[in-house]
Amino acid sequence: MTLHVVVPEESEALPFTVEPGGAQVASKEVPERIHRILAGLLDGGAVLAPPGGTDETVRAERLAEAVHGKELLEHLRHGVPVGAESVLDDAFAAPGLEQETPVTRGVWPAALGAATAAVRAAGLTARRGEHAYALVRPPGHHAGPGWYGGYCFLNNAVIAARALQEDGASRVGILDVDYHLGNGTLACVQGDPTLPFASVHSSRPDDFPYAFEPGPGLFGAGSDPGPEGFLALVGDAVSHLRGQDVEALVVSVGYDVLAGDPHGSWSLAPEVFGPVAALVTEQRLPTVFVQEGGYGLPSLRGAARALALEASR
């Protein structure tokens, strides 16, 4: 099976984030992440998909409007005041959190480009019955119905799932294997039985998004689970989704579960993404992988290669 990789046009790095108290710190959401992940995917047998068309951009914007509220989208499009380069607005922070992610003038085209790549990946998967990987930045799983944060502006995973539904899959499972709970994804699909959600993540109270209620499909680890524990949790999450009779999968891939990631605390090796991908592809379901976190640059190529070797079998 061929793993098709969809990469949007390169956008600028998010220049900074804001710590409590107002101090600006350099963002780790940088273009080099995508270069290294792409190299690993191609090493593992994946192939680059050809460029898409403007119709996919139109579709992505329409689906974004179905997933997110109008006020949020208008803020992302036009929220930076004249004469300013960025804006930080707590009105669009996730419930209970302070806003730490600025909106800059380049955010909207970058976020829409990522969503468009997710839509293209979903279209390739639906038409060919194969797997696709939306290698996007900015990521998306912390973007909720009316908020953004955690480097995320539009929820690419949910947008991809909605595209798969439009293309014929009535129930699409979303599996999130990022170190951080996809609080935005959870909020976007809550109450919708056609988009069941399962997540493997850190549940330490000092890890973003800090506080959340346990619930069905949420497989949190209060400390480093190690490779066996992590894979057991992924297996439980996959089983949870299969129990919902899903017809396709969207996998939010976060390489921040790996040792040395500046936004994580676990000790997993890059090779763990081989068996993660095997657990997914053994389901024999059309699958769209969507890039989320992963900021430890030295580990990214190996992790992506391990995933692609399994997903390309």
Side-chain angles (χ1 to χ4, degrees):
M1 180 171 290
T2 302
L3 176 64
H4 302 273
V5 184
V6 181
V7 186
E9 291 185 12
E10 186 167 302
S11 59
E12 295 180 2
L14 186 70
F16 63 89
T17 58
V18 179
E19 294 184 332
Q24 293 185 5
V25 294
S27 170
K28 295 178 175 62
E29 209 291 273
V30 295
E32 182 64 20
R33 299 175 58 236
I34 300 308
H35 301 166
R36 297 194 182 206
I37 295 169
L38 178 59
L41 293 173
L42 298 180
D43 284 349
V47 298
L48 270 175
T54 56
D55 56 330
E56 288 164 337
T57 302
V58 172
R59 188 184 186 198
E61 192 158 10
R62 175 175 57 78
L63 289 171
E65 290 169 351
V67 171
H68 298 286
K70 180 179 179 179
E71 289 185 359
L72 171 65
L73 297 179
E74 284 303 299
H75 180 68
L76 296 178
R77 290 183 181 110
H78 308 299
V80 181
V82 175
E85 292 302 317
S86 66
V87 63
L88 195 73
D89 195 332
D90 276 336
F92 298 97
L97 299 180
E98 292 184 8
Q99 187 57 267
E100 85 299 337
T101 299
V103 169
T104 64
R105 293 199 177 279
V107 154
W108 178 249
L112 183 59
T116 300
V119 165
R120 176 155 178 71
L124 290 171
T125 298
R127 289 196 300 273
R128 302 186 184 191
E130 297 183 313
H131 305 320
Y133 194 119
L135 181 51
V136 299
R137 55 178 300 272
H141 72 154
H142 296 308
W147 72 76
Y148 61 91
Y151 300 154
C152 302
F153 301 98
L154 296 178
N155 200 299
N156 305 310
V158 178
I159 288 170
R162 290 298 187 198
L164 286 170
Q165 287 185 314
E166 286 190 343
D167 289 336
S170 59
R171 296 172 72 88
V172 179
I174 302 177
L175 171 66
D176 194 318
V177 292
D178 188 279
Y179 180 84
H180 307 91
L181 172 68
N183 58 322
T185 304
L186 177 62
C188 286
V189 304
Q190 211 154 29
D192 185 347
T194 71
L195 291 179
F197 176 65
S199 174
V200 177
H201 53 271
S202 171
S203 57
R204 295 194 320 169
D206 53 347
D207 281 328
F208 189 90
Y210 308 121
F212 46 86
E213 294 294 326
L218 302 187
F219 299 90
S223 60
D224 185 352
E228 292 184 2
F230 178 66
L231 292 172
L233 290 171
V234 174
D236 290 343
V238 171
S239 295
H240 173 79
L241 294 176
R242 286 312 304 255
Q244 310 299 310
D245 297 322
V246 297
E247 299 171 10
L249 288 172
V250 173
V251 181
S252 280
V253 180
Y255 297 127
D256 44 5
V257 300
L258 301 177
D261 193 280
H263 288 317
S265 69
W266 292 351
S267 61
L268 305 180
E271 291 75 19
V272 77
F273 276 91
V276 167
L279 285 167
V280 171
T281 57
E282 284 168 4
Q283 308 311 309
R284 301 188 181 280
L285 294 172
T287 300
V288 178
F289 298 90
V290 178
Q291 191 62 51
E292 301 290 357
Y295 308 97
L297 296 179
S299 302
L300 297 180
R301 184 168 184 163
R305 181 179 186 274
L307 183 149
L309 284 170
E310 286 295 336
S312 300
R313 288 183 186 274

